[in-house]
Amino acid sequence: MEASAVLTREAARRQQGPATPQTGMQQGSERLPGRRRRRRPERRIKEDQEEEAVFREVVSFHSDPLPARYYDKDTSKPISFYLSSLEELLAWTPLMEDGFNVALEPLECRQPPLSSPRARTLLCHDMAGGYLEDRFIQGSEVQNSYSFYHWQYIDIFVYFSHHTVTIPPVGWTNAAHRHGVCILGTFITEWNNGGRLCEAFLAGDERSYQAVADQLVRIAQFFGFDGWLINIENSLSLAAVGNTPPFLRYLTTQLHQQVPGGLVLWYDSVVQSGQLKWQDELNEQNRIFFDSCDGFFTNYNWREEHLQRMLGQAGERLADVYVGVDVFARGNVVGGQFDTDKSLELIRKHGFSAALFAPGWVYECLEKSDFFQNQDKFWSLLERYLPTHSICSLPFVTSFCLGMGTRRVCYGKEQVVGPWYHPSAQEMQPFFGEHKLAEDGRGWVKTHCCLADSWHGGSSLLLRGVIPPEVGNVAVRLFSLQVPVPPKIFLSLVYKFEGTTNVRVALELTTEDASSCHIGSISVLNETGSRHSPRPLRVPPSKLARWAGRCGQQLSGGWIQRCYETNLHGCLLQDLFVNFSRPPGSQVEESFICRLGEIQVVDANSLLAPLPHVQNVTISQVCWLPPTSGSEGLPAQLGLSCTLHWSYLLRHVRGFRIHSWQTTGSSPIREPPGLEKPTFLGLAFVNQYRVVNLVVEATRPGQDGRVEFLVEPVPKEGFLVPQAEWGRAALIYSAPQ
């Protein structure tokens, strides 16, 4: 998303003048309504060989209001937003605040590609009107929020609401793209107001509908999602319905040009006469809309005879027909809720794609305390009808974080206690469920997500299993891959067992073509030569010691890290397994409970390339809350909010961790060895972050206060970056004279 990042910075320049602290703010620059100009840097200083920008601010409790669309009215935190009218859509142009909602993650490569003829699975997320806790771009402090993590089973994610232009909250876009899943927004018109809106842009000449299509394309391109579900749920005049196919064709063509892999889907509602008349199938009355875009999403009240009739209508485009399944089971449907598999069975029997509407039913209608069990049950019942897709790029790194938790942990060290929810922070999720040995089912492994403990983030992967006496091991496939492997790869597994056990754990790999695949530092496990077990390193390779200096050691919280280095030539990495084996000499049934905290598969040479430093950190849009009285003997406190910007090539990172230091006086903060650590503020997934109500010490007249902000990059390879390579900027503030 580098292009988006550049555009965001350009928008910031247009709104607030020069973006980098070297140039400062020109005295005559325009001040726009609702903005506070970026503070001019007072000077630049050197600390640890890194430049730091210093900004000066006189405390004032009168500031311009923030634009309501972009900030929550109660907390002033940045939020994702929608557009409610045709006028808002046509007037939209990117501002600096839009940059918060730009996706970090491009759509990851996956196999098979979405363009393959294989039947697909679409998930349409409709929950309580949308824009709930997921609207908070920088996360929120709530527990028991909805989380989706069965990404390997789906191909397309649609964020649905009843607002005219539904722009997916960026957390969903980041999570979907990380898993190689395409994500769509929704353009919907309904009732009488929707009819008037459609007449305004569809009943005129082509310039009207092309202007709407162009804006929809610009929005998808800017925010980094992949297209639109078009849902016209009102009658259309003959003029308007006549222009609907050319509108769809123009929108689809423009989107394909501007958004690689983009999709436009049409929902089964209006027919070619202009009547609102759901058909529950693709037929001659709505075929013209299907022919004008990438796919057709049917209504939900179909029977098998509808599917049989559609075979002739769809022709070679069976996979472009998404047969709707209402998981709430409203109306006359084949199956929903925990009987959704009945609908999937018929859909797959005839070779169509499936569109699962509102599978959040397991969260909305069942006990919240049983959410994870119910969600796993729901998807396990559908598993045999859901073909999976494979990851096809490195580095591959996951801590199994769901983007939520009861505390935040950073590499085994507790960072913040308390509930949190941040969908952008969700990492790659594995296959879930129960995996049994083929023989008699006595050996098994079950995988669960678990918030009770974590190595990094807010959760870990919990594996429970049994090794029967007659076998030596049980293994579970966690990820499907299709990755051309570089000559040397570094692998790491962080784990810990619950309780006392002699069971051993190891990573295993499969490769596609062992005949042309030359392998070193690895043992072959089966006769076909495709499954391999790397040998653990007792110490890391000297060149990688900076990244992996604790291989084989006990880590914080009882975690253990196993490291591997393998030499592979001409190989295609196919699967990642975790194998549990009985101790030598054991003849009894062995049970185990193991937590996985992290898996890394990294091109070893990529670890040797220097990372860029975070640069040009700036501070703008400063707001103050009046002082509150401190406790006895303690000074009064102020609330500080401000926006940070910085420069960094986003392709290098998984995100950023934002920290602060504060002190009285204007001197630079220097960390006393082993004593003072910066305070963690939050996570960012773009080159900007809104600090909200940070408590700082109030100053007396003639005295300065100082807050230093630090921007820590989190590389895709998943290692800590030395603090000397973080970005930083300081704000010196004083009371008015």
Side-chain angles (χ1 to χ4, degrees):
M1 290 308 302
E2 290 167 32
S4 294
V6 170
L7 186 51
T8 302
R9 300 292 292 171
E10 288 298 325
R13 291 186 182 98
R14 288 197 297 271
Q15 295 302 316
Q16 297 185 314
T20 56
Q22 293 96 317
T23 56
M25 173 67 72
Q26 299 299 317
Q27 290 290 342
S29 61
E30 179 184 2
R31 184 172 184 176
L32 288 106
R35 308 290 192 275
R36 295 206 63 182
R37 291 181 295 177
R38 179 165 287 131
R39 298 295 112 187
R40 181 189 300 171
E42 180 186 64
R43 64 183 185 278
R44 299 186 69 82
I45 62 174
K46 290 278 189 176
E47 271 186 34
D48 298 325
Q49 306 304 312
E50 290 302 312
E51 287 191 336
E52 176 187 69
V54 180
F55 298 79
R56 181 170 286 279
E57 173 85 11
V58 176
V59 175
S60 170
F61 304 114
H62 303 284
S63 59
D64 296 330
L66 297 168
R69 173 188 288 173
Y70 300 102
Y71 298 95
D72 180 60
K73 62 182 178 62
D74 297 321
T75 66
S76 79
K77 294 179 178 180
I79 54 173
S80 295
F81 65 93
Y82 50 84
L83 302 174
S84 298
S85 67
L86 188 62
E87 292 73 21
E88 286 187 13
L89 170 63
L90 294 174
W92 177 84
T93 186
L95 303 178
M96 182 275 290
E97 284 84 3
D98 286 290
F100 286 111
N101 208 36
V102 172
L104 166 69
E105 298 284 348
L107 181 59
E108 282 292 337
C109 166
R110 45 84 63 82
Q111 288 292 338
L114 198 62
S115 58
S116 75
R118 188 181 76 168
R120 308 172 195 121
T121 305
L122 179 152
L123 185 158
C124 192
H125 176 68
D126 174 38
M127 183 172 287
Y131 299 96
L132 306 175
E133 289 299 323
D134 55 3
R135 76 186 187 279
F136 290 103
I137 295 170
Q138 296 176 177
S140 59
E141 293 75 43
V142 295
Q143 57 187 359
N144 300 325
S145 288
Y146 175 72
S147 176
F148 176 73
Y149 47 88
H150 291 86
W151 293 101
Q152 305 303 335
Y153 293 135
I154 73 167
D155 303 285
I156 302 167
F157 183 97
V158 177
Y159 193 85
F160 182 89
S161 82
H162 291 274
H163 302 291
T164 303
V165 180
T166 297
I167 300 168
V170 67
W172 286 110
T173 305
N174 282 329
H177 280 182
R178 199 168 288 135
H179 291 86
V181 172
C182 176
I183 181 167
L184 309 183
T186 304
F187 179 74
I188 186 172
T189 64
E190 300 176 283
W191 311 107
N192 291 335
N193 286 339
R196 287 190 288 271
L197 187 152
C198 288
E199 291 303 306
F201 84 95
L202 284 173
D205 60 24
E206 66 179 14
R207 290 175 297 177
S208 296
Y209 67 72
Q210 287 180 359
V212 169
D214 288 339
Q215 282 293 80
L216 293 175
V217 171
R218 287 189 193 106
I219 287 171
Q221 181 187 32
F222 180 86
F223 291 113
F225 60 97
D226 304 299
W228 297 96
L229 170 67
I230 307 298
N231 187 0
I232 306 297
E233 297 219 46
N234 46 259
S235 296
L236 297 176
S237 67
L238 289 177
V241 76
N243 274 335
T244 300
F247 162 66
L248 289 174
R249 288 193 294 270
Y250 180 81
L251 172 62
T252 303
T253 300
Q254 295 301 311
L255 187 78
H256 289 179
Q257 290 176 2
Q258 302 299 326
V259 179
L263 285 177
V264 176
L265 304 183
W266 173 264
Y267 178 66
D268 167 20
S269 51
V270 172
V271 294
Q272 63 182 3
S273 68
Q275 287 181 285
L276 177 61
K277 195 173 182 181
W278 298 273
Q279 298 295 293
D280 302 305
E281 65 176 329
L282 175 67
N283 59 29
E284 288 297 333
Q285 296 192 64
N286 52 34
R287 171 70 184 268
I288 191 170
F289 308 115
F290 175 59
D291 291 339
S292 302
C293 65
D294 294 308
F296 186 89
F297 183 148
T298 79
N299 195 45
Y300 312 103
N301 297 308
W302 49 268
R303 286 290 182 267
E304 187 169 10
E305 52 265 31
H306 292 85
L307 305 182
Q308 292 167 340
R309 287 197 296 265
M310 284 198 297
L311 290 171
Q313 291 287 339
E316 295 181 355
R317 294 182 64 193
L318 287 180
D320 294 336
V321 177
Y322 300 83
V323 181
V325 179
D326 182 2
V327 175
F328 275 73
R330 292 163 289 202
N332 185 21
V333 300
V334 172
Q337 302 182 8
F338 286 128
D339 288 326
T340 299
D341 58 312
K342 295 178 181 177
S343 295
L344 264 291
E345 182 180 12
L346 290 179
I347 292 169
R348 298 308 194 208
K349 173 183 173 183
H350 295 283
F352 292 110
S353 293
L356 301 177
F357 185 78
W361 166 80
V362 296
Y363 177 84
E364 290 192 74
C365 297
L366 305 180
E367 285 292 332
K368 299 289 191 295
S369 58
D370 298 328
F371 165 63
F372 291 113
Q373 297 93 311
N374 287 326
Q375 176 144 272
D376 290 346
K377 175 183 176 181
F378 176 84
W379 289 96
S380 69
L381 291 170
L382 306 182
E383 183 178 359
R384 64 188 181 276
Y385 304 116
L386 302 176
T388 61
H389 59 266
S390 303
I391 303 152
C392 59
S393 62
L394 294 181
F396 172 77
V397 179
T398 182
S399 67
F400 306 98
C401 179
L402 292 173
M404 61 191 301
T406 58
R407 59 181 187 142
R408 291 183 189 266
V409 179
C410 184
Y411 298 113
K413 297 179 180 178
E414 189 170 79
Q415 204 165 37
V416 179
V417 176
W420 63 279
Y421 176 70
H422 198 324
S424 282
Q426 186 182 102
E427 300 203 350
M428 286 292 299
Q429 297 300 310
F431 297 120
F432 289 93
E434 182 173 1
H435 308 264
K436 295 182 178 180
L437 291 181
E439 292 81 11
D440 57 7
R442 292 179 59 194
W444 54 268
V445 183
K446 294 180 182 178
T447 57
H448 312 271
C449 50
C450 182
L451 303 179
D453 199 358
S454 63
W455 162 249
H456 186 67
S459 54
S460 56
L461 185 67
L462 186 67
L463 298 100
R464 303 173 184 268
V466 168
I467 307 173
E470 62 273 15
V471 300
N473 63 83
V474 293
V476 56
R477 185 178 72 141
L478 296 183
F479 296 98
S480 172
L481 307 166
Q482 289 288 323
V483 180
V485 182
K488 183 174 289 187
I489 59 173
F490 172 80
L491 304 97
S492 169
L493 173 68
V494 176
Y495 70 94
K496 68 176 175 181
F497 283 102
E498 298 288 305
T500 302
T501 182
N502 292 316
V503 171
R504 296 173 295 180
V505 61
L507 273 181
E508 290 181 2
L509 316 171
T510 63
T511 53
E512 186 173 78
D513 186 1
S515 62
S516 64
C517 182
H518 303 285
I519 301 170
S521 305
I522 204 164
S523 58
V524 178
L525 297 182
N526 58 20
E527 292 182 1
T528 64
S530 65
R531 190 160 156 193
H532 319 278
S533 179
R535 298 188 183 98
L537 300 168
R538 294 185 179 180
V539 294
S542 56
K543 290 183 178 180
L544 303 183
R546 172 186 174 185
W547 302 112
R550 304 182 70 179
C551 294
Q553 298 181 26
Q554 189 94 359
L555 307 176
S556 301
W559 297 92
I560 298 170
Q561 184 178 22
R562 289 279 181 264
C563 303
Y564 313 84
E565 189 181 45
T566 64
N567 299 299
L568 303 167
H569 298 279
C571 303
L572 190 69
L573 187 59
Q574 203 167 32
D575 296 291
L576 266 179
F577 286 80
V578 174
N579 183 284
F580 297 92
S581 57
R582 64 172 58 258
S586 168
Q587 300 295 320
V588 299
E589 180 176 279
E590 299 279 355
S591 61
F592 59 87
I593 302 174
C594 180
R595 296 183 189 278
L596 299 188
E598 186 178 63
I599 289 177
Q600 295 171 289
V601 184
V602 179
D603 179 351
N605 288 329
S606 74
L607 299 179
L608 305 178
L611 282 171
H613 293 192
V614 176
Q615 297 180 329
N616 304 330
V617 183
T618 63
I619 301 171
S620 63
Q621 292 182 303
V622 178
C623 300
W624 299 93
L625 287 179
T628 57
S629 300
S631 304
E632 186 175 351
L634 296 176
Q637 296 174 325
L638 300 170
L640 167 63
S641 298
C642 61
T643 300
L644 309 178
H645 288 89
W646 56 90
S647 298
Y648 201 87
L649 287 175
L650 295 178
R651 69 168 182 262
H652 293 294
V653 292
R654 297 155 78 187
F656 303 90
R657 285 189 281 268
I658 313 302
H659 311 266
S660 71
W661 258 324
Q662 49 187 291
T663 187
T664 301
S666 59
S667 300
I669 302 168
R670 301 187 183 279
E671 180 187 2
L675 295 179
E676 188 178 6
K677 297 292 182 184
T679 300
F680 173 77
L681 298 181
L683 301 173
F685 294 88
V686 287
N687 286 341
Q688 60 192 63
Y689 181 82
R690 181 69 180 170
V691 178
V692 178
N693 294 338
L694 176 66
V695 175
V696 300
E697 188 176 312
T699 60
R700 296 185 295 273
Q703 181 189 46
D704 286 337
R706 179 186 173 102
V707 183
E708 186 171 325
F709 296 105
L710 300 98
V711 180
E712 175 191 3
V714 181
K716 286 186 176 291
E717 290 80 7
F719 297 99
L720 286 169
V721 172
Q723 196 176 114
E725 298 173 19
W726 300 3
R728 55 181 64 198
L731 178 68
I732 297 174
Y733 60 94
S734 58
Q737 297 297 321

